[in-house]
Amino acid sequence: MSRLSELTFVGLGLNSEENTSLLGLEEAKKADTVFMELYTSLMPELDLNRLEKLIGKHVHVVLRRDLEEASGKIILQSARNGKTVLLVPGDPLMATTHVDLRIRAEKQGIKTRIVHGASVVSAVIGLSGLQNYKFGRSVTIPLSDANSLDATPYYVIGENLKTGLHTLCFLDIRAEEKRYMTIEDALDVLFTLERNKRQRVVRDNTLAIGIARAGSDNPAVKADYVKQLQKYNFGKPPHTLVFPGKLHFMEAEALVTLAEAPQGILEMVK
Amino acid sequence: MSRLSELTFVGLGLNSEENTSLLGLEEAKKADTVFMELYTSLMPELDLNRLEKLIGKHVHVVLRRDLEEASGKIILQSARNGKTVLLVPGDPLMATTHVDLRIRAEKQGIKTRIVHGASVVSAVIGLSGLQNYKFGRSVTIPLSDANSLDATPYYVIGENLKTGLHTLCFLDIRAEEKRYMTIEDALDVLFTLERNKRQRVVRDNTLAIGIARAGSDNPAVKADYVKQLQKYNFGKPPHTLVFPGKLHFMEAEALVTLAEAPQGILEMVK
């Protein structure tokens, strides 16, 4: 009898194993082998022992190089020979790496399936109180090692602002190096770009919303003008940053009520 | 002793109660009262009896008018007097109605909390194989009763295409009337708008991706030129439509491998 060749991508959701769905756990329980990657996102309250207890089997934690450099060989080999689950933080196909792995699996005749999980994308939009359909393209502000600064985030925010759209900025995560960009660092990068490019995108009176630990029981959500926002203590990572475009009255009200924005923004939308 | 005034928004995720997270169920179990709304989205395989068994208590299904017309009075009254949970399809604060309810709760001194769930936004982006940061603003194609057609979706797709960005089109849902826009209907609307506006946004050789039943075990994902796509049998709702902008090679490969796109699109990105 031939064995089942199957790879199921299971989204763990945000923050901890408690945000995994019933279906996701069920898939992991039924699997011959369970892998997990933790380098595309940070799940600050994840407890691996508890997750293994919930699933009832060992979870193999894979590193970036297992997925990228060896082209996911270990995972594909396992999936060719039996039912295999890859646990992924958030919603599992938001990272290019996993789409790439899925393509390679399908090309080898391995059936792929997906169990979705809560993503930082919808979580942050929801927590911000802003309306989903008013977000333009999103962007990542990368951690920089050298003197060169990537100006893409600056231009993306600027383009969105021109058409009144909001911008969701993901802040870079290098989980294997334990390096997480903070809202403070991200604003520093943008202030430097403003000084260099002078296109009046991020100025002292620019409003932004910082969000920390989306999906945990103590998320920090604070809206303020960027200079003040940079001094706010958001606590532990992961952090995210939103630049609002033109606000509807209800969005401004949401920012004041749910994110302690300055009352003055209500005047701007009257 | 004063009672706890608390309203927790719990995301049910997609398709069925099986996509609810452990944490979401736990919150519902601990609640004094549990409400659920099912009119902002369609969860085709939701089994209310099974959900009530999982939670161990009765779930009060609320209608649109309970949330909007009476300004969520029933829910807020319950939340003032005890721990209350509102179950919402998808990720709970993606619908404006719920952000509005949250603002009103906080203004009345009711503590609000959020348990995120898988959203159609990240699910559809993941299933399409396209890259998240290349999506421009999204749009809803509304069901129309009268002769008037809303041209917004047409213009949004056009603006995104100009800058090479993808467009995620939500198709209108009126769950209480059991009316769900299909991919076929949505394309009809766009073809009519193309004939009226003539801005060459949706032409015969325009590529699009139809996605049906995201989050279920049998999602349909098919990429094709719009005239062919309109003839494809996507099966039952909910449906979603994506218009890709400029494709990276890996995105084109994803569309061919995962969404049966015509091989010819690989030539376009070489």
Side-chain angles (χ1 to χ4, degrees), chain A:
Chain A
M1 207 179 90
S2 70
R3 303 197 58 179
L4 186 68
S5 289
E6 193 180 273
L7 176 58
T8 304
F9 295 82
V10 171
L12 291 167
L14 304 163
N15 188 61
S16 88
E17 68 285 351
E18 297 294 322
N19 280 309
T20 309
S21 67
L22 298 183
L23 184 60
L25 282 181
E26 211 47 54
E27 288 295 323
K29 280 180 194 169
K30 287 190 291 189
D32 297 308
T33 314
V34 179
F35 294 97
M36 173 167 65
E37 73 83 0
L38 295 172
Y39 70 83
T40 56
S41 304
L42 170 65
M43 294 182 72
E45 299 188 72
L46 181 75
D47 179 337
L48 180 56
N49 286 330
R50 162 121 169 100
L51 179 62
E52 288 184 325
K53 255 181 214 153
L54 285 169
I55 296 173
K57 60 173 64 102
H58 178 62
V59 172
H60 303 265
V61 178
V62 293
L63 303 174
R64 179 185 288 267
R65 65 160 189 272
D66 294 325
L67 272 149
E68 290 180 355
E69 286 169 31
S71 304
K73 217 171 94 179
I74 307 167
I75 297 167
L76 294 177
Q77 198 162 35
S78 164
R80 270 197 302 275
N81 294 307
K83 187 171 163 56
T84 298
V85 159
L86 175 61
L87 303 171
V88 175
D91 203 9
L93 292 179
M94 294 301 273
T96 310
T97 309
H98 304 315
V99 175
D100 188 38
L101 182 65
R102 190 175 171 219
I103 293 172
R104 280 182 278 127
E106 288 281 344
K107 282 189 170 174
Q108 296 185 14
I110 298 166
K111 191 189 170 193
T112 61
R113 297 165 62 233
I114 298 153
V115 178
H116 295 283
S119 165
V120 67
V121 176
S122 55
V124 163
I125 292 174
L127 286 169
S128 76
L130 301 179
Q131 288 166 15
N132 174 43
Y133 70 91
K134 287 179 62 196
F135 277 79
R137 65 183 283 215
S138 56
V139 71
T140 295
I141 304 183
L143 283 160
S144 54
D145 293 302
N147 295 320
S148 70
L149 274 186
D150 179 5
T152 308
Y154 180 82
Y155 290 123
V156 169
I157 297 166
E159 283 159 28
N160 283 334
L161 282 177
K162 260 184 229 164
T163 45
L165 298 176
H166 312 319
T167 309
L168 171 48
C169 303
F170 301 105
L171 306 191
D172 201 5
I173 283 173
R174 296 194 195 159
E176 292 185 351
E177 301 168 32
K178 293 201 169 23
R179 288 182 64 194
Y180 311 101
M181 181 169 257
T182 63
I183 290 162
E184 191 182 346
D185 295 341
L187 288 172
D188 262 339
V189 167
L190 293 171
F191 292 152
T192 304
L193 288 166
E194 181 62 57
R195 279 194 300 274
N196 295 346
K197 308 290 179 188
R198 298 179 176 281
Q199 297 192 3
R200 301 177 165 228
V201 172
V202 184
R203 293 185 291 175
D204 290 1
N205 65 346
T206 300
L207 191 70
I209 307 144
I211 294 154
R213 298 175 305 286
S216 76
D217 203 32
N218 65 343
V221 182
K222 170 70 182 169
D224 210 336
Y225 303 110
V226 286
K227 279 290 175 193
Q228 279 72 51
L229 197 70
Q230 205 185 23
K231 293 174 202 151
Y232 188 82
N233 179 11
F234 281 97
K236 289 187 180 171
H239 289 187
T240 320
L241 194 54
V242 173
F243 283 86
K246 197 169 153 42
L247 293 172
H248 280 175
F249 183 77
M250 213 194 81
E251 292 180 310
E253 211 190 355
L255 291 185
V256 169
T257 312
L258 309 174
E260 297 167 25
Q263 291 277 343
I265 70 165
L266 292 171
E267 301 299 319
M268 291 158 48
V269 292
K270 264 185 183 163

Side-chain angles (χ1 to χ4, degrees), chain B residues 165-226:
Chain B
L165 298 177
H166 312 319
T167 309
L168 172 49
C169 302
F170 301 105
L171 306 191
D172 202 5
I173 282 173
R174 295 193 197 162
E176 292 185 352
E177 301 168 32
K178 292 203 168 27
R179 288 182 64 197
Y180 310 100
M181 181 168 257
T182 63
I183 290 161
E184 191 181 347
D185 296 342
L187 288 172
D188 263 339
V189 167
L190 293 171
F191 293 152
T192 305
L193 287 166
E194 181 62 55
R195 280 195 298 275
N196 296 345
K197 309 290 177 188
R198 298 180 177 279
Q199 297 192 2
R200 304 179 164 224
V201 172
V202 184
R203 295 185 290 176
D204 290 359
N205 65 347
T206 300
L207 190 71
I209 307 145
I211 294 155
R213 298 174 306 286
S216 76
D217 203 32
N218 65 344
V221 182
K222 170 70 182 169
D224 210 336
Y225 302 110
V226 287

Side-chain angles (χ1 to χ4, degrees), chain B residues 155-168:
Chain B
Y155 289 124
V156 169
I157 297 166
E159 283 158 30
N160 283 335
L161 282 177
K162 258 183 232 164
T163 44
L165 298 177
H166 312 319
T167 309
L168 172 49

